[in-house]
Amino acid sequence: MDANMIISLHNVNFYYGPSRALNDISMDFPEKQVTALIGPSGCGKSTLLRLLNRMNDLIIGTRVEGKVLFEGKDIYDGHVDPVEIRRKIGMVFQKPNPFPKTIYNNIAYGPKLTGANAGDLDALVEQSLKQAVLWDEVKDVLNKSAMNLSGGQQQRLCIARALAMKPDVLLMDEPTSALDPISTAKIEELIEELKKNYTIIIVTHNMQQAARISDSTAFFYIGNLIEYNKTEKIFTNPDVKQTEDYITGRFG
Amino acid sequence: MNESINSSMKWRYFKQTLFFGIVRLSFLIIALALGGLLLYIVINGIGVINLDFITTMPTDSMTRGGIMPAIVGTIYLTVGAILIGLPLGVASAIYLTEYAVQGRMIRIIKIGINCLAGVPSVVFGLFGLGLFVVMLKFGSSILAGSLTLGFLILPTIIGAAEEALKAVPQTFREASLALGVSKWQTIFRIVLPNALPGILTGSILGVGRAAGETAPIMFTAAAFFTAKLPESIFGEVMALPYHIYVLATAGTHIEETRPMQFGTVLVLIAVVLGIDLLAIIIRSRMRRNKRW
Ligand SMILES: Nc1ncnc2c1ncn2[C@@H]1O[C@H](COP(=O)(O)OP(=O)(O)OP(=O)(O)O)[C@@H](O)[C@H]1O
Ligand SMILES: [Mg+2]
């Protein structure tokens, strides 16, 4: 691969207490591309995703072995502040989770509190909402509660909220699994657009979605990285039998 | 065949009627007891209630005149107790639910707090006397009384705050932390504002207790009689529950002041309801655009 690698994993093991959820994972994520993580339920996709912005730190008793490099630096190094990492590596969750605040304040919340990009908040809010293709729908109701938006709008708001922090990487954990087909299509279009400026790593159970939107695809099975390659290759001519079985729906 | 279905349905219907009957009856008994109590107090006390009663000083060795200083004193003490108990209780609850590593130690502390809620109030009174009045030399004063009452309602407030904090969805915390907002900012900007209505609801119980208790203030704040209102937090005050106690047990005019006693009880109930109402209004204001 010719692209610059923004995140690299070297022999990463991950433990929830005594039980190991990821086995010896080594992989690189190319900058400004979309990488899809696929695999049957419980194989460790979310675990891997949350490892990349140190969200797993919040779960008591978890442990990481190996190296997770972001722009060449190990994010699990003793003097790295996880809070700083999360500002550069944003996250969108499976279920839309806007704050019970106004639309405006949902976007402005992060920049205001972290002092990042706090220059012109109004402009930042507008820009973020435009990037998330939500501006036209909400520009007249910025001071209304975000809880009144539809599920799809809420998810785009959550994307806008993450973008307002101007991250380098956007992690998405099944961002469309709670949405209807039209909202899903909108988010997929949005991802296409965003990859011009952001590195996107997305977990999905939807094979068509992975095939449509990603440049590379990684297939996991019970904590192991089975196959990782260009999406085209994975979906037309996978090297491993297990991968083929999974994407053709023979198991999983 | 049809017969047996019919009879089993009848039996079920009978059981249901019986059960609802019992539930209705229990409710009725409680409503009657509460209503009866209120009615009894109102009938006996309403006669003495007038503007003078609530706005003037007592006269003639407290057999005539008003109870204004006791009303003011109770409001001072209750507000003082909230000012002390609320921040302290909320801070403790934040530590217990958000920061402390859950384990045996925390479980023991929580059991301890629950036990504290069941300690007789006179024990708090003696504790306040020993610590605030004597050791810290606050004397019998609004400060010592508020502190004592504040500690008395602490377990109630901690319990309410813990419940309210736990009710805030975990997804809010995750959303905030994932933006790179620090933990304490997440707690102060997201968790606490969303828990506040619940904290207030639970704390209302504590307010009633603080306003109505006699034993904790008997040694720490309450005066038999003061000629004027206190000038600072180091002054003694009269208080409604203690005033009732004094009128009903001490002196030679117990029978004569009966209507005043009931009137004072009525005022005490009104003060407690008033403070509760205030809390409810504040709560509904805060809830207005917080739905999830
Ligand atoms: N908080 C936790 N504590 C203990 N074990 C956990 C925890 N979260 C996940 N696991 C375990 O780690 C393994 C991987 O879980 P993970 O959530 O990463 O799977 P996933 O691939 O995201 O699955 P899904 O597709 O269902 O979301 C599973 O066996 C799961 O039971
Ligand atoms: Mg998952």
Side-chain angles (χ1 to χ4, degrees):
Chain A
M1 294 185 208
D2 40 330
N4 183 29
M5 296 300 164
I6 189 165
I7 295 178
S8 307
L9 274 60
H10 295 298
N11 308 101
V12 171
N13 296 320
F14 186 86
Y15 301 84
Y16 289 107
S19 76
R20 197 201 281 216
L22 291 175
N23 296 316
D24 198 28
I25 308 285
S26 295
M27 65 191 298
D28 299 323
F29 293 94
E31 192 171 11
K32 295 188 181 161
Q33 291 196 11
V34 178
T35 306
L37 310 180
I38 61 170
S41 196
C43 68
K45 305 178 296 291
S46 300
T47 304
L48 182 77
L49 205 66
R50 296 166 60 95
L51 182 116
L52 301 180
N53 66 343
R54 295 195 57 173
M55 283 300 276
N56 282 336
D57 289 20
L58 306 174
I59 303 168
I60 296 157
T62 56
R63 189 157 56 84
V64 184
E65 287 168 0
K67 273 191 162 54
V68 182
L69 305 182
F70 171 61
E71 291 176 332
K73 286 195 203 87
D74 190 349
I75 63 167
Y76 282 91
D77 204 272
H79 47 257
V80 171
D81 182 0
V83 170
E84 289 296 328
I85 294 297
R86 291 180 198 134
R87 285 178 198 176
K88 294 195 185 124
I89 305 182
M91 187 162 214
V92 176
F93 297 81
Q94 178 170 1
K95 231 178 122 238
N97 57 355
F99 299 123
K101 297 174 178 286
T102 63
I103 293 169
Y104 183 97
N105 283 331
N106 260 277
I107 310 286
Y109 174 78
K112 228 195 270 180
L113 287 191
T114 58
N117 320 312
D120 185 351
L121 269 180
D122 291 353
L124 180 67
V125 169
E126 180 173 343
Q127 185 200 350
S128 307
L129 285 168
K130 277 183 173 159
Q131 271 184 298
V133 203
L134 188 59
W135 175 252
D136 289 333
E137 289 159 66
V138 301
K139 62 172 187 278
D140 300 321
V141 289
L142 290 178
N143 288 319
K144 292 257 164 65
S145 169
M147 304 317 249
N148 299 331
L149 297 174
S150 75
Q153 289 174 324
Q154 288 190 2
Q155 194 62 304
R156 277 178 284 148
L157 180 73
C158 292
I159 294 173
R161 180 175 68 187
L163 294 176
M165 293 299 294
K166 300 208 183 335
D168 298 320
V169 181
L170 207 52
L171 309 174
M172 301 179 146
D173 195 347
E174 304 184 42
T176 61
S177 69
L179 305 182
D180 65 276
I182 293 173
S183 306
T184 301
K186 277 193 182 157
I187 299 228
E188 287 185 10
E189 267 172 51
L190 172 58
I191 292 172
E192 288 288 335
E193 192 56 35
L194 289 176
K195 79 171 186 186
K196 291 180 189 151
N197 298 307
Y198 302 90
T199 305
I200 293 173
I201 304 174
I202 179 170
V203 170
T204 178
H205 275 287
N206 181 333
M207 292 307 111
Q208 285 84 22
Q209 183 170 69
R212 270 196 303 266
I213 62 172
S214 69
D215 301 294
S216 316
T217 298
F219 171 62
F220 291 84
Y221 188 61
I222 9 184
N224 295 302
L225 175 58
I226 305 296
E227 190 169 354
Y228 180 32
N229 218 322
K230 292 279 187 208
T231 299
E232 232 181 74
K233 166 95 170 114
I234 293 268
F235 281 91
T236 53
N237 184 21
D239 291 330
V240 185
K241 177 86 171 36
Q242 261 175 321
T243 315
E244 189 178 343
D245 287 349
Y246 181 71
I247 56 179
T248 54
R250 244 165 285 173
F251 83 91
Chain B
M1 188 64 194
N2 249 339
E3 278 292 285
S4 83
I5 288 178
N6 227 335
S7 81
S8 92
M9 264 176 63
K10 265 187 192 152
W11 171 235
R12 215 181 316 152
Y13 182 73
F14 171 75
K15 272 201 299 192
Q16 177 172 319
T17 316
L18 184 75
F19 179 71
F20 281 144
I22 293 172
V23 174
R24 279 210 194 92
L25 194 69
S26 326
F27 172 74
L28 210 67
I29 291 172
I30 290 172
L32 276 178
L34 204 66
L37 186 75
L38 269 176
L39 202 66
Y40 182 68
I41 292 167
V42 171
I43 288 172
N44 284 290
I46 196 79
V48 299
I49 304 276
N50 55 40
L51 199 62
D52 278 349
F53 188 65
I54 55 175
T55 55
T56 61
M57 306 292 287
T59 52
D60 302 272
S61 321
M62 302 203 292
T63 57
R64 292 216 174 70
I67 54 165
M68 186 268 278
I71 298 175
V72 171
T74 284
I75 291 174
Y76 281 168
L77 288 173
T78 309
V79 171
I82 296 168
L83 289 181
I84 289 152
L86 201 59
L88 219 56
V90 171
S92 313
I94 287 176
Y95 173 74
L96 286 173
T97 57
E98 307 285 331
Y99 280 100
V101 178
Q102 305 299 317
R104 181 181 301 177
M105 195 59 211
I106 291 303
R107 263 208 314 282
I108 292 172
I109 291 177
K110 284 182 180 171
I111 293 170
I113 292 169
N114 279 333
C115 289
L116 215 55
V119 169
S121 54
V122 67
V123 177
F124 279 94
L126 282 173
F127 166 76
L129 174 68
L131 183 61
F132 304 125
V133 178
V134 177
M135 221 173 103
L136 297 175
K137 301 198 172 65
F138 294 155
S140 178
S141 61
I142 297 176
L143 182 61
S146 297
L147 282 164
T148 308
L149 288 172
F151 277 80
L152 177 81
I153 61 174
L154 205 49
T156 314
I157 291 175
I158 293 176
E162 266 188 277
E163 288 310 311
L165 289 170
K166 275 193 231 151
V168 176
Q170 191 60 26
T171 55
F172 290 177
R173 295 183 181 82
E174 286 202 332
S176 173
L177 292 167
L179 286 171
V181 172
S182 67
K183 186 165 176 173
W184 77 265
Q185 278 182 317
T186 297
I187 290 170
F188 274 86
R189 297 305 182 109
I190 299 290
V191 181
L192 202 52
N194 283 298
L196 224 43
I199 293 174
L200 280 185
T201 309
S203 303
I204 284 175
L205 286 173
V207 172
R209 188 145 188 236
E213 285 284 354
T214 312
I217 53 171
M218 209 145 73
F219 321 123
T220 58
F224 183 80
F225 174 74
T226 54
K228 50 187 186 357
L229 290 176
E231 274 152 10
S232 79
I233 56 170
F234 292 104
E236 271 192 308
V237 281
M238 293 177 68
L240 289 167
Y242 187 59
H243 189 61
I244 294 163
Y245 169 78
V246 168
L247 288 184
T249 60
T252 48
H253 309 289
I254 293 172
E255 280 308 321
E256 202 180 312
T257 59
R258 227 26 125 192
M260 281 185 77
Q261 294 163 26
F262 278 106
T264 310
V265 170
L266 201 55
V267 170
L268 175 59
I269 291 174
V271 167
V272 171
L273 287 182
I275 296 174
D276 287 354
L277 202 66
L278 202 68
I280 291 168
I281 291 169
I282 295 172
R283 182 183 67 185
S284 69
R285 284 259 164 103
M286 287 193 301
R287 270 197 182 154
R288 204 159 286 166
N289 61 13
K290 297 207 186 316
R291 286 260 146 261
W292 68 79

